[in-house]
Amino acid sequence: MKSFARMTLRHASALAAASPKANGNGTVAAAAAASINGTASSTPRADSQSWWGKNYYSTHPPVSRSKGLPDIDVSKLKIQKTDKPKDLLPSEQLKFGANFTDHMLAIEWNNVTGWGEPKIQPYQNLSLDPASCVFHYAFECFEGMKAYRDNDGGIRLFRPNMNMARLNRSCKRIALPTFDEEAMTELIKKFVKTEERWIPNARGYSLYLRPTMIGTQNTLGVGAPRSALFFLIASPVGPYYPTGFKAIKLEATDYAVRAWPGGVGDKKLGANYAPCIVPQLEAAARGYQQNLWLFGEEEYVTEVGTMNLFVAIKDKETGVPELITAPLDGTILEGVTRDSVLSLANRHLGPKGWKISERKLSMYEIDAAASEGRLIEVFGAGTAAIVSPVRSIAWKGKEIDCGLRADQEAGEIAAQMKDWIEGIQYGDEADAWSVRV
């Protein structure tokens, strides 16, 4: 990690020299050095002079590759129903991502005619040339979202606008075409309506949706794809914890890095996931369910597995409880559940005296809070589980207890968050986040 810190410092120095905003004293490099050496404030500055600021943590392509070309036209949707509908599995046999519905949504794009005719068609294999750029240079990004059946039998989506906005950001970052987000949401609604029979009618069950974009140009040359395919498939799923919460054990991972400054850790790219499997297998071999990804010599906590991380601690001086998650600095995925937890925490916990923070948090701070009895609870947050409580974290040869009793599988905040979010997802509570299909 020391060599990586030196590398990032050199990168910051180069940025300082090139940046018109840097003064003659090397303000950017100085900020980077202070942060890496542990002398900077734990709260990142948002201005462009800060090493922890967004400007140096992610690339923001200025122009969409779809600009000036025909966008998605919902009125041109063609629906071809299958003549061989599949049998539905009993709810208790549903496994995540193992069974798929009868149909798929597909839309082709090229850099001459733009977006083509949307099609809902029978679920089928894709026919791609072996030279398709997705196979060679990982031109692929995706989303994860769900459709729910409410108590009245209606169908709902949860904050689909956020998924579409994030998918567009991912597409833009890897030179894939962008799209009209409202039009795509309407197509997803029509697809979900087509697959309505696949949505289980029980609490905790849903229809998992996987919107995906790939580059399809046949070439071994490295460049922006001149053709692409959007497709959407769906899989009925049951509760992540079918018998109730089950707290997990984490291994703090400092020998592998999930994301880094200037990279794509804040985008939902398939290329971000495959490199994490080997560290996960290594952690599993040592008895841990997930990796807690650390970054830098300060050992800042970033994400847990494929989820955002939340930590609740009490302030050492004031005793004020604080719910903390890592800031969106370009290395953290902007999770829909993450944003929902933060919003609900501000709505429900803020008035009760809680401090809600998006800030850097190191393992040293977590360890100190645990040893002093100030660590309240820890949990991950994501679409699949909503929340995933953490029992302990292995770090530097010891097990850090995360505040749960031996007979307890979830902390109070994690359990409340699951109830609050599910209440909106299934329409129990009226909220703009819940979108009727």
Side-chain angles (χ1 to χ4, degrees):
M1 296 302 290
K2 289 182 179 179
S3 61
F4 186 83
R6 288 194 293 270
M7 178 190 73
T8 54
L9 179 55
R10 288 197 299 271
H11 181 53
S13 299
L15 283 169
S19 173
K21 293 185 179 181
N23 59 32
N25 296 323
T27 305
V28 177
S35 182
I36 291 173
N37 292 330
T39 58
S41 167
S42 61
T43 302
R45 290 162 52 198
D47 62 81
S48 61
Q49 301 297 318
S50 171
W51 170 244
W52 294 116
K54 285 185 179 180
N55 287 16
Y56 298 142
Y57 257 51
S58 187
T59 297
H60 302 283
V63 179
S64 166
R65 296 198 60 232
S66 297
K67 187 175 182 180
L69 295 174
D71 212 319
I72 292 173
D73 187 343
V74 180
S75 69
K76 293 182 178 180
L77 173 66
K78 303 296 183 184
I79 301 178
Q80 177 191 355
K81 294 286 190 72
T82 181
D83 57 3
K84 297 179 180 178
K86 304 173 186 176
D87 294 330
L88 299 180
L89 282 178
S91 295
E92 63 273 12
Q93 294 182 21
L94 295 178
K95 295 181 180 179
F96 181 82
N99 304 286
F100 299 94
T101 64
D102 291 320
H103 301 92
M104 62 189 294
L105 170 66
I107 322 172
E108 295 183 359
W109 176 92
N110 66 61
N111 67 341
V112 176
T113 60
W115 285 104
E117 183 179 84
K119 298 176 182 178
I120 293 176
Q121 60 195 29
Y123 187 97
Q124 58 193 265
N125 293 336
L126 300 179
S127 179
L128 295 172
D129 192 285
S132 295
C133 58
V134 62
F135 298 136
H136 302 274
Y137 306 118
F139 286 101
E140 186 270 354
C141 54
F142 66 96
E143 276 299 316
M145 52 197 297
K146 291 180 177 180
Y148 308 85
R149 192 179 296 279
D150 61 28
N151 291 331
D152 297 325
I155 305 169
R156 297 172 179 268
L157 299 174
F158 182 70
R159 309 189 75 180
N161 58 312
M162 289 198 69
N163 293 101
M164 294 301 97
R166 186 172 63 182
L167 182 57
N168 254 343
R169 291 193 296 272
S170 297
C171 289
K172 200 172 183 181
R173 179 61 180 85
I174 57 173
L176 288 175
T178 54
F179 51 85
D180 182 280
E181 293 164 15
E182 290 186 5
M184 189 68 85
T185 300
E186 284 304 310
L187 288 174
I188 291 175
K189 287 181 180 180
K190 292 181 182 297
F191 171 80
V192 169
K193 196 68 177 176
T194 302
E195 303 295 68
E196 181 175 0
R197 76 185 186 97
W198 289 89
I199 306 176
N201 189 19
R203 189 63 166 246
Y205 291 82
S206 58
L207 183 64
Y208 182 83
L209 306 173
R210 175 53 65 89
T212 306
M213 187 86 74
I214 62 173
T216 56
Q217 182 185 352
N218 302 336
T219 179
L220 297 184
V222 181
R226 293 199 292 268
S227 62
L229 172 68
F230 170 89
F231 64 90
L232 168 65
I233 57 177
S235 174
V237 295
Y240 194 84
Y241 297 106
T243 59
F245 278 120
K246 184 67 176 177
I248 62 175
K249 296 169 62 178
L250 306 181
E251 182 179 70
T253 303
D254 60 1
Y255 59 86
V257 179
R258 192 200 75 87
W260 50 88
V264 290
D266 60 338
K267 305 300 187 293
K268 205 164 179 66
L269 312 182
N272 282 339
Y273 289 76
C276 296
I277 299 302
V278 168
Q280 183 179 346
L281 292 174
E282 292 177 353
R286 291 186 283 268
Y288 301 97
Q289 284 77 45
Q290 280 291 359
N291 304 87
L292 174 57
W293 302 104
L294 306 183
F295 181 80
E297 290 188 326
E298 301 87 350
E299 304 209 59
Y300 289 123
V301 297
T302 59
E303 297 190 5
V304 49
T306 59
M307 297 179 287
N308 295 115
L309 182 75
F310 285 84
V311 180
I313 63 175
K314 289 182 180 179
D315 184 88
K316 186 174 183 177
E317 303 298 330
T318 65
V320 172
E322 181 182 14
L323 184 64
I324 308 163
T325 194
L328 299 177
D329 58 10
T331 68
I332 303 297
L333 185 67
E334 192 172 350
V336 177
T337 309
R338 173 191 182 276
D339 184 82
S340 302
V341 169
L342 285 171
S343 297
L344 290 169
N346 279 302
R347 187 187 306 178
H348 295 287
L349 302 181
K352 296 180 180 179
W354 280 74
K355 180 180 179 181
I356 314 302
S357 301
E358 298 178 69
R359 68 171 178 87
K360 297 288 181 181
L361 178 68
S362 73
M363 275 305 304
Y364 296 99
E365 186 175 351
I366 292 175
D367 183 38
S371 64
E372 296 165 3
R374 297 184 292 107
L375 182 57
I376 302 171
E377 64 178 281
V378 180
F379 60 91
T383 298
I386 303 179
V387 295
S388 183
V390 175
R391 181 167 299 282
S392 64
I393 302 171
W395 181 63
K396 295 189 180 301
K398 58 183 174 182
E399 295 282 336
I400 298 176
D401 182 85
C402 292
L404 298 179
R405 301 187 308 271
D407 63 345
Q408 189 180 21
E409 295 295 340
E412 181 180 354
I413 303 304
Q416 285 180 328
M417 285 297 171
K418 180 177 183 294
D419 288 343
W420 289 334
I421 292 175
E422 275 194 345
I424 298 172
Q425 290 173 336
Y426 288 92
D428 299 341
E429 180 181 342
D431 196 290
W433 290 353
S434 182
V435 178
R436 285 184 174 273
V437 173

